[in-house]
Amino acid sequence: MKALFYTREFPPYVYGGAGVHVEYLAEELSKLMELDVRCFGDQNSNDGNLSVKGFPFEDGVFKDADDKLKSVFKTLSTALHMNADAVDADVVHCHTWYAHFAGIVSKLCYGTPLVITTHSLEPLRPWKREQLGRGYDASSWVEKTAIEMADALIAVSEETKEDVIKHFNVDEDKVKVIYNGINLQQYVQTSESSTLDEYGVDKTKPYVLFVGRITRQKGIIHLVNAIKYIDPDTQIVLCAGAPDTKEIGKEMEDAVNEVKKTRNNVIWIDKMVTKEEIIQLYSHADVFCCPSIYEPFGIINIEAMACNTAVVASAVGGIKEVVVDGETGILIPLEQQTEAPFEPIDPDKFAQDLANGVNKVIGDKALRETMAKNGRKRVEDYFDWVAIAKQVEALYKTLV
C-alpha cells in the first residue's frame, strides 16, 4: 500500500501542533508502507519508504493582492501545483485546511480515496478573520468541501468528533477518533540545562512554562494577565512566537512589558526553539500551563507530561481527554461566550483560576512529583506514535 500526505508543514518548516503530528506520523507510517509527502516549502528528499517534495509559494504572482488575501491565494495555488505530479497512491491524506484543496483536486481528478485529519475546525476559530479577512470565508469553504467529500475523517479527540458531526454534513460512521501521539524515546526528562543558562532562567527558582504560538486560540494573553496573581518567587517562561497578526503580536508585547514593570522574572523567548531546547525547558519546569480557549487535542500537554512535568490547563476540547484532573495535572474550568470569539465570560476570573492552579502545584512538592510520574505513565499508555500509526494504517485498509 502507498499513501500520500498533503500538508502545509513538514520539517524543517514546522511551527504548530499539526506540523508536529505530520512529522512523527510520517516517520512511523513509512515503517509500515510507502509514503509520499507533498508539502509547502523547498524540501526534496528520498529516504527508503519516505519521499518528501516541497512546493514553494508563488510570491511574485500575488504581489499586488490584498495583504490579508495573499496567503489564501498562494495556498490555493500551491495546493493546485501539488497535483501537477501524477498521483499513484492508494490513499490521499490531508492535514489542515491549507492542504485540503490539494485533496479536493486529487479526489476529483485522480479518484483517489480521501482521508482528512481534523486538527482544528474553522467554525470554531472565528478569530482567523483577523488574519485572513474575507479569506476566512474561503478557508471555511475549502474545509467544509473537503470534510464533506472525504471517504474517512480522523478526529484527534472525542470532542472533536462531536464538533465535526455538529458543524458538517457527514456520516458519523466515517469519523474515527485517533489521538495524537509522541515519540517516547525522544521526549523524555533530561538533566541537561544549557538552554536554561542561555535564556537566563534561574535554576534555583521554580518556573511555569508556556509553549505555543501567539494566537487567540492558545490563550497566552490570559496567562500573561494571570502573572500578577502567581507567586512572586515563581519565574514565568513564555516560549511563544509566530504571531497570527501584527496586532496580536503588539498586544502580547504590550502585555508582557506592562508585567515587567513590576516583575523581573518574566522570560519571553520569542522564537521557535529546537526540540532539544524545548525538552530541556519542559524537563526543568515545575509546571506547564496551557491556557487555550480552543484546543482539539493539545499535543503540547503530552510533550510536557512525557518530560515528567505536571500540567495546569483549561478544561476545553481534547485537553479533557489528555490531562486527568487531580492525577496528571489540574484542569481549570472555562466559562466561555457561546458566540464567537468564544473568549472567557470573565477573563479576570479565568486568569486568577489559572494562577491558583499554578500556585497549588508549585507549592506542593509531593503533589507535583506524583502528577509528573502519573503524566509520564499516561503518555506511555495512550499516546505512543507506534500504536497510533497502526491505527491509521488499519483505517487506510478499509478504503483500499
Side-chain angles (χ1 to χ4, degrees), residues 27 64 229 233 248 268 288 307 320 324 342 348:
E27 180 182 350
D64 296 324
Y229 302 115
D233 205 37
I248 194 172
W268 180 12
F288 174 73
C307 296
K320 301 191 297 291
V324 181
F342 310 115
D348 190 61

Side-chain angles (χ1 to χ4, degrees), residues 305-352:
M305 289 159 60
C307 296
N308 286 75
T309 302
V311 174
V312 171
S314 47
V316 297
I319 295 175
K320 301 191 297 291
E321 299 167 46
V322 173
V323 179
V324 181
D325 189 35
E327 294 184 21
T328 69
I330 296 176
L331 290 175
I332 305 301
L334 174 55
E335 188 178 5
Q336 292 174 280
Q337 300 171 15
T338 55
E339 301 294 331
F342 310 115
E343 288 284 345
I345 292 174
D346 187 343
D348 190 61
K349 181 180 185 304
F350 181 49
Q352 289 186 54

Side-chain angles (χ1 to χ4, degrees), residues 168-353:
F168 301 95
N169 182 23
V170 298
D171 183 344
E172 183 176 351
D173 293 339
K174 287 187 176 181
V175 189
K176 181 175 178 59
V177 176
I178 301 179
Y179 286 136
N180 284 325
I182 198 165
N183 183 322
L184 291 167
Q185 286 69 50
Q186 183 177 43
Y187 281 86
V188 62
Q189 188 175 35
T190 178
S191 60
E192 290 292 324
S193 60
S194 58
T195 300
L196 279 69
D197 296 329
E198 179 180 353
Y199 293 109
V201 181
D202 186 342
K203 289 182 284 190
T204 68
K205 302 286 187 180
Y207 71 88
V208 55
L209 175 69
F210 170 91
V211 176
R213 291 178 292 117
I214 302 172
T215 171
R216 304 277 176 217
Q217 177 178 336
K218 301 300 179 182
I220 185 170
I221 298 297
H222 298 297
L223 175 57
V224 175
N225 291 336
I227 292 175
K228 59 180 174 287
Y229 302 115
I230 294 175
D231 188 292
D233 205 37
T234 299
Q235 299 172 96
I236 317 296
V237 179
L238 305 171
C239 191
D244 271 355
T245 64
K246 292 180 180 178
E247 290 76 16
I248 194 172
K250 181 66 163 53
E251 184 180 341
M252 171 71 175
E253 183 179 355
D254 290 345
V256 171
N257 287 340
E258 184 63 29
V259 170
K260 284 185 173 181
K261 290 179 181 178
T262 57
R263 193 165 181 144
N264 61 8
N265 58 357
V266 177
I267 299 162
W268 180 12
I269 305 169
D270 62 346
K271 65 177 184 178
M272 303 298 288
V273 297
T274 66
K275 288 188 181 71
E276 291 74 17
E277 289 174 320
I278 203 63
I279 288 169
Q280 287 189 33
L281 291 170
Y282 280 133
S283 295
H284 295 282
D286 294 84
V287 60
F288 174 73
C289 186
C290 178
S292 297
I293 62 171
Y294 170 58
E295 199 67 72
F297 181 83
I299 202 167
I300 47 179
N301 294 298
I302 60 173
E303 290 178 350
M305 289 159 60
C307 296
N308 286 75
T309 302
V311 174
V312 171
S314 47
V316 297
I319 295 175
K320 301 191 297 291
E321 299 167 46
V322 173
V323 179
V324 181
D325 189 35
E327 294 184 21
T328 69
I330 296 176
L331 290 175
I332 305 301
L334 174 55
E335 188 178 5
Q336 292 174 280
Q337 300 171 15
T338 55
E339 301 294 331
F342 310 115
E343 288 284 345
I345 292 174
D346 187 343
D348 190 61
K349 181 180 185 304
F350 181 49
Q352 289 186 54
D353 291 345

